[in-house]
Amino acid sequence: MEEETLDILIRGGIVLTISKDKDVIDNGEIGIRDGRIEFVRAIGTDLHRPEAKEIINAENMLVMPGLVNTHTHLPMIYFRGLADDLPLNEWLVNHIFPAEARFVNSEFCRNGANLAIAEMILSGTTTFCDAYFYPESIAQAAIESKMRGVICAGFADFPAPGNPDPARNAEVARAFLDTWTGFSSLITPALFCHAPYTCAPETFRDIKDIARSKGALFMTHLAETKWEVEDIKNRYGDTPVRLLSKLGILDEKTVAVHCNWLDDEEISIMADCGAKVSHNPESSMKLAAGVAPVPAMLEKGITVGLGTDGCASNNDLDLIKEMGTAAKIHKAVTLDPTVMDARTVLELATIEGAKVLGMEKEIGSIEKGKRADILLIDLNKPHLTPLYNPYSHVVYSASGADVTTSIIDGKVVMRNRNLTTIDINAAVNWGRVHISRKREM
Ligand SMILES: [Zn+2]
């Protein structure tokens, strides 16, 4: 039988499949057609050399699944470095909220998302999950740049940019899901309640009910700071996790972001209901919010993915660097160097992140039939030579700048460090012209 011409053939290189059965393939090749992975195998196992429209030479490269960033606020890229070295509450209330009130509109969000997507592609992320204002602008930016995204419409109990009347939250949530469900194969719409301290129990119930009725993912910041736990206990007599559990919010389609302050019983509550966790160690370190007990969560069987959070509290979107932090912080906290080994952490940033977003059948590993979200890391670098263990190099030695080529949904979105879907100069300039010159805030 004659094989049809492939769109892309990636040839050579060490393939980290992150699949259950195939571990690492030395000198592998990957065939891609119509956005999907047609085959992944060692070169030489099939004598027939397939035809391809584009052949990517991956010699001396690591080939791995694209990274999944499970929590971002993309347009906050324009607030990077605006206010650092402050406690979360002061940072949020005195600096971020006023800056948002002043600057945020749909144009800001569209351009901010575009710039952030450029930064993510340049550092190996191929799927993100975002929660911010004007989510339709963020979805449009993702579609234009051929980036895969879960886009949440966000809700709180006070007027917000693009959503001035909280009484209409339910209506806005329904309309958002109706508009974006099935709109683009790259976009998955979802709903987000900002936090238990900005959303009343009724808001959580209403928004979660809508998400549930439409089969959509629901997300919230949860148990981020000690202050939040005390505040929620004072208001409702329960910790944030117990409160949401009693409200019936926590299930397998709920993603709780941060979860820095969970006791053992709360970890069990989360595990029993199948709720997922987005772990954002750098943001929580920078805001001194705490460190999530991730090794204990994994032991209990909770699905955990990695996230960067917004650029104002990280201050970058480099998920490779985030992996290094995630691998090291828990060793320091537990005084156990065996926790969060490199392979585990790399899985958190790929297949486990895909599970957090409910997309593990489509992305997160290099396997026949999955969407082709793949990146290549150049090993011809002083800091990546010699190579004993590819997982170790990615997690402990590499950074986003080592990613040379990225493929999303079978399309090359970065080739040899050049973005193919984003005009990088225009993306950088918009922020310079519209934001930097108005910095006196
Ligand atoms: Zn966040």
Side-chain angles (χ1 to χ4, degrees), residues 71 73 221 258 309:
H71 185 59
H73 310 287
H221 293 129
H258 299 304
D309 214 347

Side-chain angles (χ1 to χ4, degrees), residues 71-73 76 131 192 194 221 224 257-258 280 283 308-310 313:
H71 185 59
T72 60
H73 310 287
M76 291 186 88
F192 171 77
H194 175 262
H221 293 129
E224 182 173 6
V257 183
H258 299 304
N280 297 234
S283 171
T308 55
D309 214 347
S313 63

Side-chain angles (χ1 to χ4, degrees), residues 275-322:
K276 315 290 200 294
V277 170
S278 172
H279 177 38
N280 297 234
E282 290 187 3
S283 171
S284 286
M285 287 163 71
K286 183 161 180 278
L287 293 164
V291 181
V294 173
M297 292 178 190
L298 295 178
E299 201 148 296
K300 284 276 183 186
I302 295 176
T303 301
V304 180
L306 273 192
T308 55
D309 214 347
C311 264
S313 63
N314 184 300
N315 289 1
D316 62 60
L317 298 167
D318 185 338
L319 207 62
I320 295 186
K321 278 166 49 184
E322 197 82 27

